[in-house]
Amino acid sequence: DTVLTQSPALAVSPGERVSISCRASEGVNSYMHWYQQKPGQQPKLLIYKASNLASGVPARFSGSGSGTDFTLTIDPVEADDTATYFCQQSWNDPTFGAGTKLELK
Amino acid sequence: EVQLVESGGGLVQPGRSLKLSCAASGFTFSNYGMAWVCQAPTKGLEWVASISTGGGNTYYRDSVKGRFTISRDNAKNTLYLQMDSLRSEDTATYYCARQGGTGSSDYWGQGVMVTVSS
């Protein structure tokens, strides 16, 4: 399986810029996607194929990367962005990262 | 509006079976691949199985091969997951998800809980 490694948690202040990283154990081309999940809710697609904004997602969210290293950026962060963010690759059998919990100071 | 509504979850003993359903509406169901993704309590997400638009191609994670069967009825706009020989480690919330063309899941249901315990 392709293992995706994310940092477990981040804390930022509203208005700041935050970057959430995801590293794949092998190259996944650009087939990396990002989801937001709030407590008690289903995941929501934010970014597909590394850098494409999903429908209805604010332009504060952006994605970059290719190969093994990918980044989700939120700029500026708002209070409503408190959530866990997961990366997922679909180049091989789909796998997800363990998630990065974003907290606001 | 795209809607995916799962049903069929519950408490089941180890070794028994359960069948999940996912009713789709708001889009042309037969045009999209579909998938099941699970999330154990306080854990991350795990892909379980996927199915092509016509149902002819199915894919499974290794831990469920031979025990779970994904299927669909395009006339009824419904996705299924037949879960046999259930184990305690199958305990999770199961989400139905619509597949975008790139392998992302662009819409998710609210999830249904499956608890495997004696």
Side-chain angles (χ1 to χ4, degrees):
Chain A
D1 285 1
T2 304
V3 177
L4 304 181
T5 301
Q6 298 182 242
S7 52
L10 289 170
V12 298
S13 299
E16 290 185 345
R17 170 189 172 113
V18 66
S19 294
I20 298 171
S21 65
C22 178
R23 174 164 287 177
S25 60
E26 58 187 311
V28 299
N29 201 306
S30 61
Y31 287 84
M32 185 66 77
H33 321 293
W34 290 94
Y35 302 88
Q36 177 193 65
Q37 187 179 34
K38 297 181 179 180
Q41 295 186 17
Q42 68 267 54
K44 173 187 175 183
L45 178 66
L46 298 175
I47 300 288
Y48 64 95
K49 211 174 175 202
S51 61
N52 296 279
L53 197 65
S55 177
V57 175
R60 303 184 291 105
F61 294 88
S62 63
S64 63
S66 66
T68 61
D69 291 293
F70 297 85
T71 302
L72 171 71
T73 300
I74 311 172
D75 186 16
V77 171
E78 296 183 356
D80 187 52
D81 299 334
T82 298
T84 300
Y85 294 84
F86 294 94
C87 55
Q88 177 235 325
Q89 64 81 23
S90 60
W91 183 246
N92 301 307
D93 279 353
T95 52
F96 291 84
T100 296
K101 188 172 184 179
L102 181 66
E103 296 179 340
L104 268 63
K105 296 177 184 175
Chain B
E1 178 193 7
V2 172
Q3 286 201 317
L4 298 169
V5 180
E6 301 95 337
S7 60
L11 173 63
V12 62
Q13 294 179 328
R16 304 298 289 263
S17 298
L18 207 59
K19 187 171 186 177
L20 306 183
S21 299
C22 171
S25 61
F27 65 102
T28 304
F29 182 68
S30 58
N31 286 353
Y32 289 86
M34 298 294 295
W36 289 97
V37 177
C38 72
Q39 187 170 33
T42 70
K43 299 293 185 184
L45 299 162
E46 280 192 342
W47 166 74
V48 175
S50 300
I51 189 167
S52 59
T53 54
N57 295 302
T58 56
Y59 311 89
Y60 301 91
R61 66 179 296 109
D62 286 346
S63 61
V64 308
K65 280 179 184 173
R67 300 191 300 122
F68 290 10
T69 303
I70 188 171
S71 62
R72 64 191 297 161
D73 185 334
N74 285 344
K76 294 183 177 179
N77 292 339
T78 303
L79 177 72
Y80 302 101
L81 185 67
Q82 176 68 45
M83 311 167 72
D84 297 326
S85 304
L86 281 160
R87 305 168 179 168
S88 58
E89 55 263 37
D90 297 321
T91 293
T93 295
Y94 285 76
Y95 295 99
C96 152
R98 190 179 85 168
Q99 300 291 279
T102 59
S104 60
S105 295
D106 59 0
Y107 285 93
W108 298 63
Q110 84 286 352
V112 63
M113 185 68 199
V114 172
T115 302
V116 184
S117 174
S118 54

